[in-house]
Amino acid sequence: MERRGHAFVRYADDCNIYVTTRRSANRVLDSVTRFLERELKLKVNQSKSAADRPWRRTFLGFTISWWNRIRVSGKSWKRFKLRVRALTRRNSGWSMDRVIGELNVFLRGWKGYYDVADSRDPFVECERWIRRKLRCYQLKQWGKSGYRNLRRLGVNRRIAWITSKTPHGPWRISRTPRAHWALNNNYWRGKGLISLSSLA
């Protein structure tokens, strides 16, 4: 590939080759496949090989947008959310400190790998979703003592009473402005939750 002047990126047995036209892509795919199978006696996984646009393919959990920016792939975000859901299960019985501790371990490793992505908007959006998950967990954990805990956080009597005595479930309550105000960003920073969207 170097001898032919192709632009490519490789990690172990995963490789992307970049050319300017679909015709070139098909030709390179055929020649590389032929070389790997005939000369090196290796089996090419046809289901994972294709000549396609970069933004329709993933590489090591990333994809390249049509305006040439590195983005976290949709599959990576899906796996991310599955892991966060597992760590914030409302019936786990974990203390909030343990939930945040386990979550921080995962977020720190995930952020360390995916922080090279150019687009920060999905990080901000997921950070908001994580805080809502934690608000839901906290409200569920408080249970009948919700009124007392909300008052301790400075919520006035009427709002604390409405929030704690509503017939709606904790997931719906976690989205309300009053729950967001009581369990705001500063609250979670105080609990030690690390930032996913910060560049630092």
Side-chain angles (χ1 to χ4, degrees):
M1 288 189 286
E2 288 176 344
R3 191 166 59 248
R4 294 185 181 189
H6 291 315
F8 69 95
V9 57
R10 183 180 75 88
Y11 182 84
D13 63 346
D14 204 350
C15 182
N16 279 7
I17 307 168
Y18 302 100
V19 293
T20 54
T21 66
R22 181 173 291 277
R23 184 178 178 182
S24 297
N26 286 321
R27 186 176 64 250
V28 170
L29 178 61
D30 288 342
S31 65
V32 169
T33 299
R34 195 161 50 247
F35 174 79
L36 289 170
E37 293 190 334
R38 293 182 183 177
E39 301 296 327
L40 301 183
K41 310 302 181 185
L42 298 171
K43 180 66 176 175
V44 175
N45 189 330
Q46 297 294 339
S47 65
K48 293 184 178 180
S49 303
D52 207 348
R53 299 289 189 180
W55 52 87
R56 293 176 184 161
R57 308 296 295 176
T58 62
F59 182 69
L60 304 178
F62 294 94
T63 188
I64 300 175
S65 69
W66 64 271
W67 58 93
N68 291 331
R69 298 185 71 184
I70 299 173
R71 299 175 63 91
V72 179
S73 73
K75 288 182 179 179
S76 296
W77 280 120
K78 190 174 292 186
R79 288 194 297 269
F80 171 87
K81 289 193 171 185
L82 285 173
R83 182 59 179 156
V84 171
R85 285 191 180 101
L87 291 172
T88 56
R89 287 195 311 269
R90 282 173 278 169
N91 60 353
S92 68
W94 290 357
S95 68
M96 181 55 72
D97 287 341
R98 182 179 176 185
V99 170
I100 291 178
E102 297 281 346
L103 195 56
N104 278 346
V105 170
F106 169 67
L107 293 179
R108 195 171 286 113
W110 197 92
K111 177 183 169 71
Y113 181 80
Y114 288 101
D115 211 34
V116 297
D118 294 320
S119 177
R120 312 307 300 177
D121 291 345
F123 287 71
V124 174
E125 184 181 340
C126 267
E127 199 167 44
R128 290 173 183 156
W129 175 73
I130 288 169
R131 288 194 296 266
R132 186 181 176 191
K133 293 286 291 180
L134 290 174
R135 284 197 300 273
C136 179
Y137 192 96
Q138 185 71 90
L139 291 166
K140 175 71 174 179
Q141 192 176 61
W142 280 345
K144 293 181 179 179
S145 64
Y147 173 80
R148 185 167 63 253
N149 283 291
L150 288 169
R151 289 287 292 140
R152 192 179 294 122
L153 291 173
V155 180
N156 68 50
R157 292 174 185 270
R158 179 175 174 276
I159 298 298
W161 181 263
I162 292 172
T163 303
S164 60
K165 302 304 178 183
T166 179
H168 301 305
W171 179 243
R172 184 167 174 178
I173 300 170
S174 66
R175 194 179 182 183
T176 62
R178 52 185 179 268
H180 190 277
W181 183 87
L183 304 172
N184 55 29
N185 296 4
N186 288 332
Y187 177 84
W188 298 115
R189 275 194 291 269
K191 288 285 187 181
L193 180 66
I194 67 170
S195 173
L196 185 64
S197 60
S198 171
L199 289 172

